[in-house]
Amino acid sequence: MIPQGRKDYILQLLNEKPLVTVTELAEAFSLSEVSVRKLLTAMEKEGLLTRSWGGATRAENALHEYSHVEKEKLHLEEKKAIARFCYAEINDGESVFLDSGTTTIQLARLIASGAKRHILVVTNALNIALEFVHAEDIGVIVIGGEMRHRIVCCTGELTMDALNNFCFDRAFVTGNHFSLERGFTTPLLSEAKMKGKLLEVSKHSYVVMDSSKYGGNSLCCIAPVNAATMIVTDWRLPASILAHFEEKNIAVVAAPKVEN
């Protein structure tokens, strides 16, 4: 395969899944892993991808952020799998914070319709709060602040001040990227601070990010990966990457696909 053909093949794979590994590319191209790493490094310099541990991920601008509407249909099966795992972690009578996001709204729907009741849900997301309009035995507290129209949530100093008054049993926190090296990241500083605060004021904190968010980096660091009780992602994250987190004693779960 000619060099341009190899590049096209790698980019095609990255359109289909979040990560390509050095090992799989070495097998596909019949090249040494050293040669594959050199190729990935060259492609990163061209801005075509982002190098990560064991392979490469899609290239994204550190300031890039999809709107809620744009994100809602992306990786929906993976988000439902993550939500199902997280719902199993919640007990009757607990206080739960649901961060804004299209994964956490799937969890909100499970809580609203599920068998576990008398849960107190606290959220900064208006669309998540509305999921409980007809679930009168689920308490809801909406934390206000500066409205983010594209994400349908509140953030800023008022939100931070409110969080100082709480200690949650469980918090489910979202973000834009995660990696062992950079931790959890998101484009906006005020959101990074708020999400980091959630990890501090919760007895059990779960960072919920589907596998497409592995690798790459947004502008602002939320926290290092060991700040959360657990990372919950999905079955598409390669086993080699999961093993790398586990080697560093980072609790990570790849939620299995939800069968219809």
Side-chain angles (χ1 to χ4, degrees):
M1 189 180 293
I2 62 173
Q4 186 58 48
R6 290 171 183 154
K7 290 182 181 180
D8 292 342
Y9 177 79
I10 292 169
L11 293 176
Q12 181 180 345
L13 285 181
L14 287 174
N15 280 330
E16 298 170 357
K17 58 183 183 176
L19 171 75
V20 292
T21 67
V22 170
T23 301
E24 70 176 300
L25 294 176
E27 292 176 357
F29 299 149
S30 298
L31 292 175
S32 69
E33 292 193 357
V34 172
S35 297
V36 171
R37 290 191 185 95
K38 289 180 179 178
L39 173 59
L40 295 179
T41 299
M43 291 179 69
E44 183 177 47
K45 290 179 180 178
E46 294 179 52
L48 298 175
L49 51 73
T50 300
R51 291 280 283 115
S52 64
W53 183 89
T57 61
R58 304 181 188 101
E60 284 188 5
N61 188 293
L63 290 172
H64 178 75
E65 184 175 39
Y66 291 105
S67 70
H68 171 77
V69 173
E70 290 171 321
K71 290 191 293 185
E72 196 164 19
K73 295 181 181 179
L74 296 175
H75 314 291
L76 185 57
E77 287 187 346
E78 292 86 340
K79 292 170 182 176
K80 287 182 176 180
I82 292 168
R84 185 176 69 170
F85 175 88
C86 292
Y87 182 68
E89 292 286 295
I90 299 170
N91 299 310
D92 285 301
E94 289 188 332
S95 60
V96 173
F97 191 96
L98 299 183
D99 192 10
S100 63
T102 51
T103 300
T104 44
I105 201 167
Q106 294 297 328
L107 177 55
R109 289 167 183 165
L110 291 179
I111 295 171
S113 62
K116 301 172 186 179
R117 312 315 288 172
H118 307 296
I119 295 167
L120 174 65
V121 173
V122 185
T123 185
N124 64 323
L126 305 183
N127 57 333
I128 285 179
L130 289 174
E131 292 292 328
F132 299 97
V133 167
H134 301 293
E136 295 185 6
D137 52 353
I138 301 291
V140 180
I141 296 175
V142 182
I143 292 181
E146 181 181 349
M147 174 71 174
R148 294 200 63 210
H149 295 80
R150 283 169 56 84
I151 312 300
V152 202
C153 74
C154 296
T155 187
E157 291 302 317
L158 289 174
T159 312
M160 292 288 288
D161 289 345
L163 289 178
N164 286 324
N165 297 315
F166 291 96
C167 179
F168 306 109
D169 290 310
R170 302 182 195 276
F172 298 91
V173 183
T174 63
N176 291 65
H177 291 99
F178 72 102
S179 69
L180 192 60
E181 300 83 3
R182 299 288 185 177
F184 312 118
T185 58
T186 196
L188 192 65
L189 181 59
S190 60
E191 283 221 347
K193 288 182 177 180
M194 187 210 73
K195 293 171 189 290
K197 185 68 174 179
L198 282 170
L199 300 180
E200 295 176 10
V201 299
S202 305
K203 297 174 185 176
H204 304 281
S205 57
Y206 304 78
V207 173
V208 293
M209 295 195 203
D210 66 72
S211 56
S212 71
K213 297 180 178 180
Y214 173 77
N217 299 291
S218 295
L219 181 65
C220 303
C221 180
I222 297 168
V225 286
N226 61 4
T229 305
M230 183 183 296
I231 303 169
V232 187
T233 185
D234 61 77
W235 74 95
R236 295 189 187 278
L237 193 68
S240 59
I241 302 301
L242 291 170
H244 191 49
F245 276 83
E246 290 165 356
E247 286 170 5
K248 302 295 182 180
N249 295 317
I250 306 300
V252 59
V253 168
K257 185 175 181 178
V258 176
E259 299 297 338
N260 295 326

